[in-house]
Amino acid sequence: MSGSQAGRAYIGSFTAAGGRGIVTASLDAQDGSLTLLDATDALADPSYLTLSGGLLYAVSETRDGAVAAFRTDTVPPQLAAPPAPVDGAGPTHLAVWGDRVLTANYNSGSVSCLPLRADGTPDAAGTDVLRHSGSGPHPQRQQTPHAHQVLPDPSGRWAVSVDLGTDSVRVCALSQDGRLTLHHETALRPGSGPRHLAFHPSGGYAYVLNELTPTLTVCRWDAVDGTLKPLTELLVLPDAGPRGDAYPSEVVVAPDGRFLWTATRGEDIISVFSLDATGESATLLATVSCGGDWPRDLALDPSGRFLYAANERSGDVTWFTVDQESGLPVRGGSVRVPAASCVVFDQAG
């Protein structure tokens, strides 16, 4: 540690698998290293987190799914209000969208929309649920919808949900009475199993990472019309030959739009792509070890200089310094976090 603190990191983990819940760490601005501080298990299985308005929001990825807000002025964070049920099972992702919080409910194949009170806490009494429909060709994973991610687009006009079970991405709007309405649905290749997407900083392109095939689908995004158009599908592995199990998990884009990284579980690698000046063309440059086993999440720190892999099965978070010329991550170190599932950062520094 160099002694220069840039802020805090919050790490989600599965309490049902031995995790400590939400783990707080300090972040060093100079070398990207993390130092663990404390943890709270006040919420079961907080598998995904997001920060907004000075609060930390977390899903509870349980059969009776819930969302909760935590105050971040203490270590560890403290519940700001009791967890709010989302009327959906197995929420895997969440995002704050204006004065609402959205959750993607994997097991029930739906997206929940909860209004936020004046203090930022979710109000279950106003919950609206948009239920997905459809299926895909995979006999085990695509018999029913499985919403895996939901997030606002860069314009803030639309909410986009990625469904692994239906091989599609849905674009939603918010009606005047606060209900989610389906605006447009984009079909991706059958059996691809889309999991997560990330937008290019320009707002004109989106990159959909597929879990059931190790590929990345480059799409054009039109924020005026609220439409997503698939353009190309690229392997995130060096070749298409037999490789055993390979399950991509997360995609992140550099703040300047020059590079893109994906994580793949089973192969336990981070793939590095270069992007052209527009963001329309992506080229696989290299793959590097994720530093552990089963990288469930990738995240950049606020500066974009350091990349973090939450390795679920080996129980650690590994950090890398990103070479600003090549985009290659160079391993810096790791901290022990059993059943790690995601990492988010405050915006200090």
Side-chain angles (χ1 to χ4, degrees):
M1 293 281 294
S2 68
S4 175
Q5 298 302 322
R8 294 274 164 80
Y10 298 97
I11 305 165
S13 65
F14 288 98
T15 56
R20 300 176 65 198
I22 298 173
V23 179
T24 305
S26 61
L27 167 67
D28 188 282
Q30 301 303 311
D31 61 13
S33 61
L34 299 177
T35 300
L36 301 183
L37 300 175
D38 208 341
T40 175
D41 60 1
L43 186 71
D45 290 342
S47 66
Y48 200 84
L49 315 172
T50 192
L51 283 153
S52 180
L55 293 173
L56 176 69
Y57 295 86
V59 295
S60 177
E61 191 177 332
T62 56
R63 183 179 61 183
D64 302 318
V67 62
F70 290 78
R71 297 191 307 272
T72 58
D73 55 354
T74 62
V75 178
Q78 300 294 314
L79 278 171
V86 299
D87 193 18
T92 55
H93 193 270
L94 83 166
V96 173
W97 187 29
D99 60 358
R100 285 166 168 76
V101 62
L102 308 173
T103 68
N105 310 313
Y106 182 85
N107 291 346
S108 54
S110 62
V111 172
S112 298
C113 177
L114 287 73
L116 297 176
R117 302 184 183 95
D119 64 358
T121 58
D123 184 1
T127 302
D128 180 54
V129 180
L130 181 66
R131 304 189 188 281
H132 293 181
S133 61
S135 60
H138 194 288
Q140 286 82 41
R141 302 290 305 279
Q142 294 186 313
Q143 293 182 345
T144 61
H146 291 299
H148 212 301
Q149 183 196 37
V150 63
L151 73 166
D153 86 299
S155 75
R157 295 181 57 190
W158 312 99
V160 179
S161 64
V162 182
D163 196 299
L164 184 149
T166 64
D167 292 318
S168 63
V169 177
R170 290 168 173 81
V171 180
C172 301
L174 197 65
S175 66
Q176 290 186 347
D177 61 356
R179 298 180 63 84
L180 280 177
T181 60
L182 179 60
H183 168 74
H184 185 267
E185 184 174 358
T186 297
L188 300 181
R189 183 175 56 80
S192 57
R195 177 183 172 97
H196 276 197
L197 70 74
F199 287 97
H200 188 270
S202 70
Y205 294 91
Y207 311 94
V208 182
L209 186 64
N210 302 304
E211 177 174 339
L212 299 184
T213 55
T215 60
L216 180 77
T217 303
V218 180
C219 304
R220 181 175 290 113
W221 169 248
D222 188 328
V224 175
D225 294 335
T227 55
L228 190 73
K229 180 182 179 182
L231 300 176
T232 57
E233 187 175 353
L234 308 168
L235 283 169
V236 300
L237 305 176
D239 61 71
R243 302 184 65 92
D245 293 338
Y247 302 103
S249 58
E250 184 61 291
V251 52
V252 294
V253 181
D256 62 8
R258 293 192 302 136
F259 299 105
L260 175 153
W261 301 271
T262 66
T264 301
R265 297 159 297 174
E267 292 289 319
D268 295 336
I269 58 169
I270 298 170
S271 300
V272 185
F273 287 82
S274 64
L275 301 175
D276 71 357
T278 67
E280 182 174 346
S281 177
T283 302
L284 179 62
L285 299 178
T287 62
V288 300
S289 168
C290 70
D293 182 4
W294 212 251
R296 185 180 177 89
D297 187 42
L298 277 183
L300 285 169
D301 80 307
S303 74
R305 296 166 51 220
F306 304 107
L307 185 68
Y308 299 78
N311 297 314
E312 181 182 353
R313 292 184 178 174
S314 55
D316 62 81
V317 174
T318 300
W319 61 86
F320 303 80
T321 299
V322 175
D323 184 285
Q324 297 301 300
E325 295 301 318
S326 67
L328 290 176
V330 179
R331 188 183 188 278
S334 67
V335 288
R336 173 72 176 159
V337 183
S341 58
C342 80
V343 187
V344 298
F345 298 91
D346 63 24
Q347 295 301 306

